[in-house]
Amino acid sequence: RSFYRPIVSTSMEQQNKSYWAAVETQIDSHLKKSITIRPPTSVFEPMHHLTFSASKSTAPPLCIAACELVGGSPDDAVTAASAIHLMHAAAFTHQHLPLTDGPMQVGSTVEHVMKPNIELLTPDGMVPFGFELLGLSEQAQNNSDRILRVIIEISRAVGSQGIVDGMYQELVYAKGEGEDEQMVEYVCEKKEGELHACAGACGAILGGGSEEEIEKLRKYGLYVGMIQGMVNGVGKKLGSRLEIANKWRGLAIKELEAFHGRNVHQISSLLEMD
Amino acid sequence: RSFYRPIVSTSMEQQNKSYWAAVETQIDSHLKKSITIRPPTSVFEPMHHLTFSASKSTAPPLCIAACELVGGSPDDAVTAASAIHLMHAAAFTHQHLPLTDGPMQVGSTVEHVMKPNIELLTPDGMVPFGFELLGLSEQAQNNSDRILRVIIEISRAVGSQGIVDGMYQELVYAKGEGEDEQMVEYVCEKKEGELHACAGACGAILGGGSEEEIEKLRKYGLYVGMIQGMVNGVGKKLGSRLEIANKWRGLAIKELEAFHGRNVHQISSLLEMD
C-alpha cells in the first residue's frame, strides 16, 4: 500500500498518484538490488525482511521530489532516499523491540516474525549499510563534497538530536499524564520532522540546489514530517490536533512559494493526504 | 585501566607503555571534547556514560599507530579512532542489552546503570554520531576521498558482514554444544578481527600509506583483533587455544616485515600482551 492516499481524487491527484508510485518503485528497486539475500543469510534474510516490512515513510520519496524540484534527476537522489528508508526502518524496528521493560513504542502491536536478538542486531547492520551505500554511490566519486554533506545530514537526523531524542521523549510523554501541546510538537519535530527535513535538504543538495533552496526544502520537509508524526498517532488525544496540523500545512506551503513557476504540485501533494 | 598490559617488563615495554598511554589519552580527550553533556541531557548523559564505561578495545589505538607507521601524524587518525571506539562501545552495549529472551552475550555480567530502553536507544545515537564526526573532521575538507574511504571501511566492519555477524554467530555457538575450532576462528574474525583490520587500514589510509601498506596493516589488524577475541573469551574452552593464538601472532608479525627499519616495535607490542 502506497504512502500516498489523497483526500480527494481529481485528475491532478491521479497524476500525483502515478508520480509517487513511480518514485516508490524506484526506491524499492534500488533497495532490492542493494540488499540481495547472500551469505551470511542469517544476517541478510532478516535485513531484507525488516527493510520491506517496516512502515513506509514519506521521507524517502520527499528526498527524490526535492531533488527534482531544484532541477536534478531522480537518479541523483535515489541512494540517499534508500539510505533514509534504511534508517527509518531500523529505528522503527528498535522502537518495537521487546525489552524486559516493554517496547519503546507504548502499546505496540507490531507482529514479531523474528526473535528479539535478531530484531536488535539487524537494524545495527542496516544503519551502517545505509552509510556504506552512500560512500559507494556514483556521486561519491564525482561529487564527494555533496555526499559528505548528505552523510552529515543523515547522521544528525537519525541520531541523538533527531529520531533517538524523539523516540525517547515520546516514551516519556506516553508514560506521563495529560496532553501537552508543546510536548506533542517537540516529539513530532524530532521523531519524524527532522528526518523529513533532512530528506528535503539532501534532495536539494544532490540536485544541485542553491543554499536558499536547500533551506526552504529543509523547512518544507520539517512541516511535512511533523504532520506525518500526527497522522501516525503522536498526540492523538490532543483536542487542538487538526488546528495545529493546519497551521503546519500553511507554514509548509509558504516555503514552496519561492519555487513558483516550477512543478510544485507534485511535492506539495504530500500535504493533501489523509 | 589501560588495554596495554605487557607480559614482561623491560625498558622497551616501558617505552611502549608510555606510547600507548599517550595514544589513549589523545583518543579520550577527543571523545570528551566531542561528547559534551549538552541538551538534550536525557540523551547526552547516557551517551557520555556508555562511551566511557564500555570495555576498551585495542582497535582505536591500533588505528593511530598504523597511521604513524606509514608516516602520518596521530592527529590525522584521531577522529577515525574515536569513531571506531564509538562503534565498539555501541556494539558492546547492545550485546549486553536485557532482551525478553536474554542478552546476546550469554552469561553477561555487565552492571546496568541505565534502563533497557536507554541502553537500546543511546547506541543508536552513538553510531551515526561517529559518522558525523568523520564527516565534520578537518580531513573531510582537505581530503574528502580519504574520509569517504574510511566511512566505507567502518560501515563494513561494524555492519552485517562484520561485528553484527560475529555477535550473532557467537550466540549461535554459545547455545550449541562442543567447541568447533572453525567456528571459534569465524567468530574471532568477525567480532573483533574485522574492526581491528578496519582500524589498521583506516590508519594507513589517513596517514597517506600506499595501497600495499594499507593491505598489510589491514591484515596485521585482523590477526591482532582475532587474538583479542580469544583474550576476551571467545573459545575459552578450546584445548588448542594457545596454539591457534600463536599461529595468528606469527602471521601478524609476517605482515610487519615490509616495514623493516621503521618504528615497528610500538605497533608490534600489541602482540605481547596477556
Side-chain angles (χ1 to χ4, degrees):
Chain A
R1 201 164 92 122
S2 171
F3 73 90
Y4 184 65
R5 298 183 295 276
I7 304 168
V8 287
S9 188
T10 63
S11 73
M12 183 69 104
E13 268 79 47
Q14 283 306 318
Q15 267 182 46
N16 289 332
K17 210 170 164 174
S18 312
Y19 173 71
W20 293 119
V23 167
E24 282 191 276
T25 302
Q26 193 188 4
I27 299 169
D28 272 15
S29 310
H30 193 81
L31 282 165
K32 274 185 189 130
K33 207 181 60 194
S34 309
I35 313 172
T36 52
I37 296 176
R38 57 181 183 275
T41 51
S42 55
V43 164
F44 281 102
E45 262 171 14
M47 190 191 276
H48 198 270
H49 176 80
L50 292 172
T51 300
F52 295 106
S53 68
S55 74
K56 293 255 183 193
S57 161
T58 32
L62 169 63
C63 178
I64 290 193
C67 178
E68 288 191 80
L69 187 63
V70 301
S73 138
D75 293 347
D76 298 331
V78 70
T79 308
S82 301
I84 289 170
H85 176 74
L86 283 164
M87 306 295 168
H88 158 77
F92 178 88
T93 306
H94 275 181
Q95 200 180 19
H96 295 271
L97 188 70
L99 296 166
T100 51
D101 59 351
M104 296 289 306
Q105 176 78 60
V106 174
S108 163
T109 55
V110 158
E111 198 198 340
H112 296 278
V113 178
M114 280 162 294
K115 285 184 182 174
N117 54 57
I118 298 292
E119 292 192 352
L120 167 64
L121 275 188
T122 309
D124 285 356
M126 286 157 73
V127 169
F129 187 67
F131 288 110
E132 188 186 342
L133 287 183
L134 288 165
L136 291 173
S137 65
E138 213 176 291
Q139 296 103 306
Q141 302 285 324
N142 312 327
N143 245 321
S144 58
D145 291 352
R146 284 187 192 168
I147 285 291
L148 274 169
R149 214 171 146 183
V150 164
I151 287 172
I152 297 168
E153 292 281 349
I154 295 181
S155 304
R156 285 186 175 157
V158 302
S160 306
Q161 305 198 64
I163 295 181
V164 164
D165 189 25
M167 286 187 357
Y168 179 71
Q169 296 301 336
E170 188 179 25
L171 180 70
V172 170
Y173 170 63
K175 289 193 169 167
E177 294 289 315
E179 294 283 336
D180 179 359
E181 212 173 288
Q182 215 183 335
M183 189 71 174
V184 167
E185 195 155 329
Y186 187 82
V187 171
C188 284
E189 182 182 327
K190 291 293 167 180
K191 198 184 162 197
E192 303 215 38
E194 301 218 346
L195 188 68
H196 284 75
C198 153
C202 289
I205 291 167
L206 293 165
S210 67
E211 290 306 316
E212 203 195 328
E213 289 173 327
I214 293 166
E215 291 318 308
K216 288 211 174 287
L217 286 166
R218 180 196 303 287
K219 279 197 193 145
Y220 176 71
L222 180 69
Y223 296 121
V224 170
M226 288 169 78
I227 296 168
Q228 285 298 308
M230 279 210 171
V231 169
N232 295 332
V234 181
K236 57 186 159 205
K237 289 174 292 178
L238 201 64
S240 52
R241 207 169 151 267
L242 274 176
E243 259 168 75
I244 299 173
N246 273 329
K247 183 185 77 184
W248 292 342
R249 195 169 280 123
L251 292 167
I253 289 167
K254 233 177 137 56
E255 296 297 332
L256 295 180
E257 280 171 5
F259 298 96
H260 184 72
R262 294 206 226 167
N263 204 352
V264 173
H265 71 92
Q266 285 171 348
I267 203 167
S268 69
S269 67
L270 291 175
L271 295 167
E272 292 149 15
M273 290 186 296
D274 232 333
Chain B
R1 200 164 94 119
S2 169
F3 73 91
Y4 184 63
R5 301 183 295 276
I7 303 168
V8 287
S9 188
T10 64
S11 74
M12 183 67 103
E13 268 80 47
Q14 283 306 317
Q15 268 183 46
N16 288 334
K17 210 170 166 172
S18 313
Y19 173 70
W20 292 119
V23 167
E24 281 190 277
T25 302
Q26 193 188 6
I27 299 169
D28 271 13
S29 311
H30 193 82
L31 282 166
K32 274 184 188 130
K33 206 182 60 191
S34 310
I35 312 174
T36 53
I37 296 176
R38 59 184 183 274
T41 51
S42 56
V43 164
F44 281 102
E45 262 172 15
M47 192 192 274
H48 198 273
H49 175 80
L50 292 172
T51 299
F52 295 106
S53 68
S55 74
K56 294 254 185 195
S57 161
T58 31
L62 168 64
C63 179
I64 290 194
C67 179
E68 290 191 78
L69 188 64
V70 299
S73 138
D75 293 347
D76 298 332
V78 71
T79 308
S82 300
I84 289 170
H85 176 75
L86 282 165
M87 307 293 167
H88 158 77
F92 178 87
T93 306
H94 274 181
Q95 201 181 18
H96 294 271
L97 187 69
L99 296 166
T100 51
D101 58 349
M104 295 289 306
Q105 177 79 61
V106 173
S108 164
T109 54
V110 159
E111 198 195 339
H112 296 278
V113 178
M114 281 162 296
K115 285 185 182 171
N117 54 59
I118 299 292
E119 292 193 353
L120 168 65
L121 275 187
T122 309
D124 284 355
M126 288 156 73
V127 170
F129 188 66
F131 287 111
E132 188 185 342
L133 288 182
L134 288 165
L136 291 172
S137 65
E138 213 176 291
Q139 296 103 303
Q141 301 285 323
N142 312 329
N143 245 322
S144 58
D145 289 352
R146 283 187 192 168
I147 285 292
L148 274 170
R149 213 171 147 182
V150 164
I151 287 172
I152 298 169
E153 291 281 350
I154 295 181
S155 303
R156 285 185 177 158
V158 303
S160 307
Q161 305 196 63
I163 295 181
V164 165
D165 189 24
M167 286 185 359
Y168 179 71
Q169 295 301 337
E170 188 180 23
L171 179 70
V172 170
Y173 170 63
K175 290 194 168 168
E177 294 290 315
E179 295 281 335
D180 179 359
E181 214 173 288
Q182 215 183 335
M183 188 73 174
V184 168
E185 193 156 329
Y186 187 82
V187 171
C188 285
E189 181 183 327
K190 290 293 167 180
K191 197 181 162 198
E192 301 215 36
E194 300 218 345
L195 188 68
H196 284 74
C198 154
C202 288
I205 290 167
L206 293 164
S210 67
E211 291 305 314
E212 202 195 330
E213 287 173 329
I214 293 166
E215 292 317 308
K216 289 209 173 291
L217 285 165
R218 181 195 303 285
K219 279 198 192 146
Y220 176 72
L222 179 70
Y223 295 122
V224 170
M226 288 170 78
I227 296 168
Q228 285 298 308
M230 278 210 172
V231 169
N232 294 332
V234 181
K236 58 187 159 206
K237 290 173 291 176
L238 200 64
S240 51
R241 210 169 149 267
L242 275 177
E243 256 169 75
I244 297 173
N246 274 328
K247 183 186 76 183
W248 292 342
R249 193 170 279 122
L251 291 167
I253 289 166
K254 232 177 138 59
E255 296 296 332
L256 295 179
E257 280 171 6
F259 299 95
H260 184 72
R262 296 206 223 164
N263 203 351
V264 173
H265 69 93
Q266 285 171 348
I267 202 165
S268 69
S269 67
L270 290 176
L271 296 168
E272 292 149 16
M273 291 187 295
D274 233 333

